[in-house]
Amino acid sequence: MKDTIYRSKDEPVKPFEFNKRVVDVFPDMIERSVPGYPLTISMISVMADEYVQEGTNVYDLGCSLGAVSLAIQQGLKNKKCSIIAVDNSQAMIDACVETIANEEKNIEFRVEDLADTEINNASVVVMNFTLQFIPLEQRKSLLEKIYNGLLPGGVLILSEKITFDDDAENETMNNLHHHMKSLNGYDKLEIASKREALEDVLIPETIETHIKRVNDSGFENTFVWLKCFNFISLIAVK
Ligand code: GEK
């Protein structure tokens, strides 16, 4: 279903929520809004196939409609693992259970706040555009928990919308992002209203802040494997 949530000029803009209305349009919304999203998903499947260890847990934190879990599950060649997909939006998990859970028996869907998720025996943990929604003061402890729950040789894959210290770079990348959205069919008002709705809900940080926090949480090797305008993805190896 097409995302027209911010098309109405009459409704006041409310803070963004992952409710049923968003769930219904989510695949269209994320593909038209996040530069490189399909590539991110397909490369997560490649990275998972490389790093998943037999008999371990794989976590998809902030799974939304399960795109990452499905890509990992379908990409894995001969290794067996348990995929745990977590989201605190009941509407998202209801949709996952309805469409995926019966067919993919090794994906467990949980409605849970990431602050309460136990991570153990993990070889791969993915946060694909989720940390940006976690309050700033909780981000370090979440990363430490992930590091502690990973096995040696395990990885965290972390994708985020970012900001830049350099004003010119920030403006250029934001403009390119908005231009992409407008070429993908969002009008100026929709782009502005979505931006307003995400203010104080999605808090982007710089690449340097992310890499420092990931390293300070214990990871030894953290690399940017994808950058597309103001969106990045990192892989951090324990
Ligand atoms: C994808 N990874 O398609 N606990 C659990 N879930 C949360 C929390 C929290 N505290 N905060 C936010 N979420 C997906 C896309 S979307 C990204 C992820 C976006 C969930 C929230 O409910 C939503 O489903 C997801 O994180 C972020 O690859 O919409 O830009």
Side-chain angles (χ1 to χ4, degrees):
M1 198 193 290
K2 195 169 163 73
D3 170 24
T4 56
I5 292 177
Y6 294 101
R7 192 145 284 185
S8 158
K9 300 184 173 38
D10 311 325
E11 286 177 41
V13 176
K14 295 199 217 104
F16 189 81
E17 275 178 37
F18 290 97
N19 53 26
K20 173 81 170 71
R21 200 169 166 209
V22 167
V23 167
D24 289 342
V25 299
F26 190 75
D28 178 69
M29 173 186 278
I30 198 155
E31 281 214 28
R32 287 200 289 142
S33 306
V34 175
Y37 177 75
L39 179 67
T40 312
I41 296 290
S42 59
M43 290 304 120
I44 286 175
S45 157
V46 172
M47 290 184 281
D49 193 49
E50 172 76 7
Y51 285 101
V52 166
Q53 300 172 32
E54 183 84 32
T56 61
N57 293 329
V58 171
Y59 292 86
D60 175 6
L61 303 179
C63 64
S64 297
L65 295 181
V68 165
S69 294
L70 275 178
I72 291 177
Q73 148 80 14
Q74 285 160 9
L76 279 181
K77 295 284 176 278
N78 296 314
K79 287 180 269 190
K80 291 222 167 19
C81 66
S82 302
I83 302 176
I84 298 155
V86 181
D87 205 290
N88 68 348
S89 159
Q90 181 75 51
M92 286 288 187
I93 296 295
D94 285 350
C96 290
V97 168
E98 210 171 285
T99 55
I100 309 172
N102 282 340
E103 323 224 318
E104 306 292 349
K105 300 274 185 233
N106 72 334
I107 307 179
E108 179 196 339
F109 290 99
R110 291 187 195 161
V111 184
E112 194 170 81
D113 193 294
L114 297 188
D116 302 326
T117 303
E118 269 184 45
I119 310 284
N120 53 53
N121 190 35
S123 55
V124 173
V125 177
V126 182
M127 279 199 284
N128 205 37
F129 308 110
T130 305
L131 191 67
Q132 58 197 18
F133 295 105
I134 304 295
L136 285 173
E137 66 281 5
Q138 293 176 22
R139 292 183 185 183
K140 177 86 189 304
S141 58
L142 178 56
L143 289 174
E144 285 170 348
K145 178 169 76 175
I146 291 170
Y147 179 82
N148 290 331
L150 275 166
L151 297 161
V155 293
L156 164 68
I157 299 166
L158 174 67
S159 311
E160 287 281 291
K161 183 177 190 195
I162 54 160
T163 186
F164 301 87
D165 283 333
D166 183 83
D167 290 345
E169 189 172 14
N170 210 34
E171 196 186 332
T172 305
M173 295 304 155
N174 276 315
N175 285 346
L176 286 169
H177 177 218
H178 290 159
H179 190 57
M180 184 204 87
K181 288 185 76 167
S182 89
L183 291 175
N184 283 345
Y186 287 111
D187 67 30
K188 279 203 162 55
L189 182 87
E190 284 180 289
I191 295 172
S193 301
K194 175 81 177 281
R195 196 180 185 172
E196 189 183 331
L198 284 172
E199 194 89 40
D200 301 328
V201 176
L202 187 169
I203 318 257
E205 297 175 284
T206 62
I207 296 185
E208 295 76 18
T209 302
H210 281 296
I211 291 180
K212 181 168 187 318
R213 189 192 290 118
V214 169
N215 288 340
D216 287 349
S217 303
F219 289 90
E220 274 149 38
N221 289 301
T222 305
F223 309 110
V224 176
W225 69 268
L226 182 83
K227 177 177 180 302
C228 197
F229 302 150
N230 45 351
F231 289 77
I232 55 149
S233 192
L234 305 174
I235 180 164
V237 188
K238 179 163 176 175

